[in-house]
Amino acid sequence: MEYYKLPFKSKVADSLLQKAKDTPVWRNYFNFDAIRVRQRELLNDPFFANLYRQYPYKCGILRLRPNTFYDWHTDIGRGVSINLLLESQHSHTLFCKNYDKILGEFTELKYDLYSCYLFNNKIYHTVYNFEGYRYLFSLQFNNKDLTFDDLYNKIINKEIKLHG
């Protein structure tokens, strides 16, 4: 499975987007513009608070400029992340299981704004951003061995509370 949409809307998305728009200085992080988000900034969202207690993480906001792509890749140092699209005018996130071919099939993740997605970083993926800045909140777990399937099963089996 490439991704899984969590069944709730984030309670901190507005404040994260405002932080992104108010930040004048961004740093390079794996060729993205990035700013750090402290875990305490997520305390108003029960899911992120509950998740941190079980699986500590680091997080930030990634910005992609207009008319920019991030080429096909798998992530180094993380097997699963949680992503939350904060703003995008026209962008596409694609997954491909047979990337080493000349011709292949892909799956598109069509983000709903303010919805959180479990994201399988070990499957080849790419992002194309056409118009405006694209702002994405993303978190990575301190436990680098945590996999998509591990976290998906914990959520499905209600071992991680989604709400307060």
Side-chain angles (χ1 to χ4, degrees), residues 25-43:
V25 178
W26 292 71
R27 296 186 176 181
N28 183 291
Y29 181 75
F30 289 96
N31 297 306
F32 281 102
D33 293 338
I35 55 173
R36 180 103 189 250
V37 173
R38 304 276 178 217
Q39 197 277 329
R40 68 178 173 268
E41 296 175 72
L42 305 175
L43 292 178

Side-chain angles (χ1 to χ4, degrees), residues 59-70:
C59 52
I61 299 170
L62 305 174
R63 180 176 74 177
L64 201 55
R65 296 167 193 225
N67 301 308
T68 304
F69 71 93
Y70 200 94

Side-chain angles (χ1 to χ4, degrees), residues 42-100:
L42 305 175
L43 292 178
N44 290 334
D45 191 304
F47 172 72
F48 288 122
N50 291 331
L51 182 65
Y52 189 82
R53 284 192 279 281
Q54 292 184 46
Y55 297 102
Y57 55 78
K58 295 179 184 87
C59 52
I61 299 170
L62 305 174
R63 180 176 74 177
L64 201 55
R65 296 167 193 225
N67 301 308
T68 304
F69 71 93
Y70 200 94
D71 207 3
W72 290 102
H73 66 285
T74 59
D75 291 7
I76 298 169
R78 64 182 187 168
V80 62
S81 64
I82 294 180
N83 290 347
L84 165 63
L85 187 63
L86 302 171
E87 183 173 273
S88 173
Q89 293 177 28
H90 180 194
S91 67
H92 297 277
T93 301
L94 308 172
F95 289 90
C96 181
K97 291 184 179 174
N98 57 348
Y99 172 70
D100 59 339

Side-chain angles (χ1 to χ4, degrees), residues 114-125:
Y114 293 7
S115 291
C116 295
Y117 291 81
L118 211 57
F119 194 97
N120 193 340
N121 304 90
K122 292 304 177 192
I123 296 177
Y124 276 95
H125 54 281

